[in-house]
Amino acid sequence: MAEGKKLVIVESPTKMRSIQGYLGDGYEVLSSVGHIRDLADKKDIPADDKKAYGKYSIDVENDFDPYYVVSDRKTKTVAELRRALKSADEVLLATDEDREGEAIAWHLLETLKPKVPVKRMVFHEITKDAIQAAVGNTRELDLALVDAQETRRILDRLYGWDVSPVLWYKVKSGLSAGRVQSAATRMVVERERERMAFVSAEYWDVEAQASASAGSATQGAAFGVRLVRVDGGQLARGTDFDDAGKLKKAVVVLSEADAEALAAAVDAAGTATVTKVEAKPGTRSPYAPFTTSTLQQEAGRKLSMSAKQAMSVAQRLYEKGYITYMRTDSVALSTQAIQAARSQAVALYGDSAVPLKPRVYKSKSKNAQEAHEAIRPSGETFRTPASVASGLDRDEQRLYDLIWKRTVASQMSDAKYETTTVTLETQAADKRVEFTASGTVYTFKGFLEAYEEGRDEKRNAQDSSADQSLPAVAVGDELAIGESVAKGHRTTPKPRYTEASLVKALEEHGIGRPSTFASIIGTVIDRGYATKRGQALVPTWLAFSVVRLLEQHFADLIDYDFTAALEDDLDAIARGEQNRVEWLKSFYYGSENQVGLRQVVDNLGEIDARALNSTRITDDATLRFGKYGPYLEVIDPANPEAKPRIVNVPEDLAPDELTADKARELIDAPVAGDRVLGENPENGKIVVVKDGRFGPYVQENDPVSDDDAVDEATGEVVDKPKKKTKKDAAPKPRTASLFRSMSVDTIDLDTALQLLSLPRVVGADPATGEEITAQNGRFGPYLKKGADSRSLESESQIFDVTLEQALELYAQPKYGGRKASSALKEFEADPVSGKPIRIRDGRFGAYVTDGETNVTIPRGQTPDDVTFEIAVQMLADKRAKGPAPKRGAKKTAAKKAPAKKAPAKKTAAKKTAAKKAPASDADKAAARSEAAKKAAATRKANAIAKADAARAAARAQ
């Protein structure tokens, strides 16, 4: 880099290229690609420091000093930054303006140790004006923000590493606990508990059709009406019942027979009189621009995006310069953004679309912080969704459209409407009944021309009447009424959380930061604490066990108010109002106001793992969570001392669906045994189909022996005594998995024999004579010729593919050449190769490629998790490793000189022993028996010691 240039360090390679173009030749812009260092792994801590830092990579005895190391993936990045720093006369740290971005800037400063002036450069959008303005308005590093982020990191390490091991020992290995993650899991479980305890109540009403009488100006304009009162008593609705199915107030509850009788009586009456017409005007105001939280909620409701996916797409939009920074609590808009939104609203919807004065929004959250503007389209003039469509992929275009509409609508006029409610009365047999109908008419749509917010599922939605147009009627009008129908309803429990409603709940409780919600919910799902059924989050029985343990032994740590208070304290540290070290001491060691984490962990006492993993369903059936998942343990009431019976629970059965009746259905269901398909004519073995742990399969079994004998004295048929002969281990029976298209209930003998005969020989390659076989494998059906393979399109081809078709497949390129396949995701060009980066779906899973280097996406991650900067780093790491060694290549071990042996000297005792006669067979047998006893005793002692150690470790943790 030429003398006099300024080094600008950003987080993302995408931002790097955009900002370089805006700043010009006087600057060199490089990327840190996120964090360059983090708390060390235990293996990376030097031996001299292990005593102080070994457990957490934090010295809890000395002001919670953290031990940071540069990650292996970032050594090349750091080297590149140091190279550029040598010829720079100034450094501008341009990481994101939030706590994490401030911490990244501090870590860069601590690692690079520049000797030239260092300034902090911040911006909220990547436009030329914003970047140039940021260069002219730098500031110092905000160490209070750094302290807050560092405290959060240390807090999460202490919490996770002290609590998680308890889960490993008492619930299941590999689990994790986290400050926000555990609270979110508790919310999902508590909602399911409410659903499990819920008692549904039944209630009925009557719906009918009303229309103006003959001769009226509005004759024939029919509208729906609903029964609301009988003899002056209000009819029951879902909201009138509590969760136990009991009425909360005095209302009229109709039975099915009552409702049907009333419906018939109303039809017989034929007319009803209008007793009230009430019209109420109203207004609706637009919603504030998006924050991180509301963007995640709306992307979930309207676009069916997960919180993680929404943030990933928003990140790409920000880095490409289409929107402002997407991690923000603020709903405020800059003056230029307000003007841009108003101008666009007027251009699209007319002068009346905006109010006289611009709208100003203020966050309701007391902790709104860091970024100073809401999420909006970038620039002084907003680009319409249609104008940017060519530069965005489908998800980016959909999310940009959502952000654009929300921002423009936020500056538009109120919507105005009028709601009219009509009440009708008639005499149905001996009862006076009243019906109502409502209709809303918008007299001015205002902001609704541009945007209307989505809604979460609501409880007892069946009580809501559909909006409709009502004819003009007046009090005293007589209307025709008929087509009466009795309608039955049942009260509904609270709906399960979706990602959108869980984000909303976390924000309302003040738990976590909006920027972390996506990763928190992702962790809850990845850890197996919840699964998705449609958009709903369904907790697993594993989550029930985890939450039960945390509630019983870590009550404060999982308390919502306590967790929210931690966020308040972190905010106080960020504002410089709280001392980081003193706060960590209070949290970890305790204070007058709270019991410290260390004291809680050290005084856990005995934890009954069996009780934690048990939920009583009925008097004789208990749901238990075991190594392989949930199951019912059923006690025989007639013989309670007998070993309980085990009944499997279907994986797709939600906890609230395992009612007492459902449990009884599972218990009483006939036990499905192996179904015999028939005899294999080739070898006489019996073919059966089974449903195993890893899926359905067929198996060959030896036929049952009927070689019986007759007792000569009594004439009784008895089994022949088996000779006690030493036998070789019996060969394993031949098995074959069923295809995905096959069913245990419908598979026949012929199909089973075909499966058992695989791999099928297709034929020999005429050119080489090699045999080509068709078979099924872990990654699907394929052909094999020596070490060369080709994928088949379907499992049925295994039986159908001909030699000619197989040869045709082998004549084509091995991967990707046989059919066009679109990339799962596409990014801009790689900075090294200059070629576009794509994520493709390969034979062994999704992978990142620039056409030259391929990197498989690690297990546990999805293409949605991979951003451009992550892809760039993955490719760079793969290049740094060099080509993989060829299979089968063996490293030649260095030959060692043979050890010199001391000359053998036989003592008299040894000579005598050498001359002794060999031991007898009895002596050898006795020796083997004694050795076996000693080995068994040793194994038992080791097992006892290991169990004691595990219990001690659990108590210690």
Side-chain angles (χ1 to χ4, degrees), residues 165 192 449 570 618 632 732 763 800 906 926:
E192 195 74 6
E449 293 277 9
L570 290 170
T618 66
L632 285 173
K732 289 184 179 180
D800 301 337
K906 290 187 178 181

Side-chain angles (χ1 to χ4, degrees), residues 627-901:
K627 183 178 181 181
Y628 301 112
Y631 61 93
L632 285 173
E633 190 177 81
V634 185
I635 297 173
D636 183 359
N639 186 11
E641 299 301 321
K643 184 178 180 181
R645 178 184 159 205
I646 302 301
V647 176
N648 289 328
V649 174
E651 289 185 4
D652 59 349
L653 190 69
D656 75 327
E657 295 169 354
L658 186 59
T659 61
D661 291 340
K662 183 63 179 180
R664 182 52 53 195
E665 178 187 326
L666 294 173
I667 294 167
D668 294 342
V671 179
D674 302 339
R675 186 164 70 90
V676 177
L677 300 178
E679 181 181 310
N680 186 342
E682 294 184 1
N683 54 26
K685 293 192 175 185
I686 303 301
V687 180
V688 297
V689 60
K690 298 170 175 275
D691 199 353
R693 179 183 164 199
F694 301 106
Y697 65 99
V698 291
Q699 177 176 303
E700 279 184 342
N701 292 333
D702 290 326
V704 179
S705 174
D706 58 356
D707 188 11
D708 299 322
V710 177
D711 188 315
E712 294 181 357
T714 64
E716 182 183 0
V717 178
V718 296
D719 293 335
K720 282 188 176 180
K722 295 181 179 178
K723 295 182 179 179
K724 294 182 179 180
T725 58
K726 187 176 181 180
K727 293 185 177 180
D728 295 332
K732 289 184 179 180
R734 193 161 54 142
T735 62
S737 296
L738 269 62
F739 290 173
R740 293 176 184 173
S741 58
M742 298 175 182
S743 167
V744 172
D745 299 325
T746 58
I747 187 172
D748 54 26
L749 178 62
D750 292 339
T751 306
L753 293 175
Q754 280 186 304
L755 292 173
L756 290 168
S757 68
L758 294 178
R760 167 180 163 253
V761 177
V762 178
D765 186 339
T768 63
E770 287 185 289
E771 191 175 72
I772 300 175
T773 59
Q775 53 199 296
N776 215 2
R778 180 182 175 189
F779 303 104
Y782 67 101
L783 295 172
K784 186 176 182 182
K785 181 177 68 171
D788 196 3
S789 61
R790 290 289 188 276
S791 294
L792 294 171
E793 293 183 359
S794 66
E795 291 173 320
S796 62
Q797 282 188 293
I798 295 175
F799 299 131
D800 301 337
V801 66
T802 64
L803 178 60
E804 291 73 16
Q805 291 170 333
L807 293 173
E808 184 180 343
L809 284 174
Y810 273 102
Q812 296 174 4
K814 184 167 186 178
Y815 299 117
R818 297 194 300 275
K819 59 180 179 179
S821 61
S822 59
L824 301 178
K825 287 175 75 173
E826 295 190 18
F827 301 111
E828 296 178 20
D830 180 76
V832 176
S833 67
K835 296 183 177 180
I837 298 176
R838 295 182 174 89
I839 298 181
R840 296 191 179 278
D841 195 7
R843 182 182 178 193
F844 301 103
Y847 65 97
V848 178
T849 180
D850 63 350
E852 296 179 356
T853 306
N854 299 337
V855 191
T856 301
I857 294 177
R859 185 179 299 173
Q861 294 187 20
T862 66
D864 289 337
D865 300 331
V866 179
T867 60
F868 175 74
E869 59 268 21
I870 292 176
V872 169
Q873 189 63 47
M874 290 172 68
L875 292 170
D877 293 343
K878 183 64 179 290
R879 292 190 198 99
K881 289 182 179 179
K886 293 182 179 179
R887 284 189 178 183
K890 294 181 179 180
K891 292 183 179 180
T892 305
K895 293 184 177 180
K896 295 182 179 180
K900 294 182 178 179
K901 295 181 179 179

Side-chain angles (χ1 to χ4, degrees), residues 455-508:
R455 297 180 181 180
D456 293 319
E457 179 188 353
K458 289 195 174 180
R459 194 176 185 185
N460 296 314
Q462 68 271 15
D463 292 337
S464 302
S465 299
D467 203 18
Q468 58 184 326
S469 296
L470 299 180
V473 294
V475 174
D477 286 353
E478 188 173 272
L479 305 182
I481 189 168
E483 300 180 31
S484 302
V485 179
K487 293 275 187 177
H489 308 281
R490 298 199 70 86
T491 55
T492 56
K494 291 180 181 178
R496 291 190 180 95
Y497 284 111
T498 62
E499 289 199 29
S501 59
L502 183 57
V503 165
K504 184 177 181 180
L506 288 169
E507 187 175 40
E508 288 174 347

Side-chain angles (χ1 to χ4, degrees), residues 525-536:
I525 295 172
D526 293 342
R527 288 287 186 270
Y529 298 150
T531 59
K532 293 189 75 171
R533 179 183 290 184
Q535 294 296 312

Side-chain angles (χ1 to χ4, degrees), residues 250-272:
V251 291
V252 176
V253 181
L254 297 180
S255 66
E256 182 178 5
D258 294 337
E260 288 180 345
L262 275 176
V266 169
D267 282 346
T271 60

Side-chain angles (χ1 to χ4, degrees), residues 19-36:
I19 294 172
Q20 182 69 72
Y22 296 143
L23 292 180
D25 294 336
Y27 296 82
E28 181 173 10
V29 185
L30 295 177
S31 168
S32 69
V33 197
H35 282 278
I36 61 168

Side-chain angles (χ1 to χ4, degrees), residues 125 321-324 337 344 375-379 381-383 400 403-405 407-408:
E125 61 182 358
Y322 289 100
I323 64 171
T324 54
Q344 205 147 62
I375 303 169
R376 63 168 177 87
S378 60
T381 303
F382 295 165
R383 290 167 284 184
Y400 181 82
I403 294 168
W404 178 86
K405 286 179 177 176
T407 309
V408 172

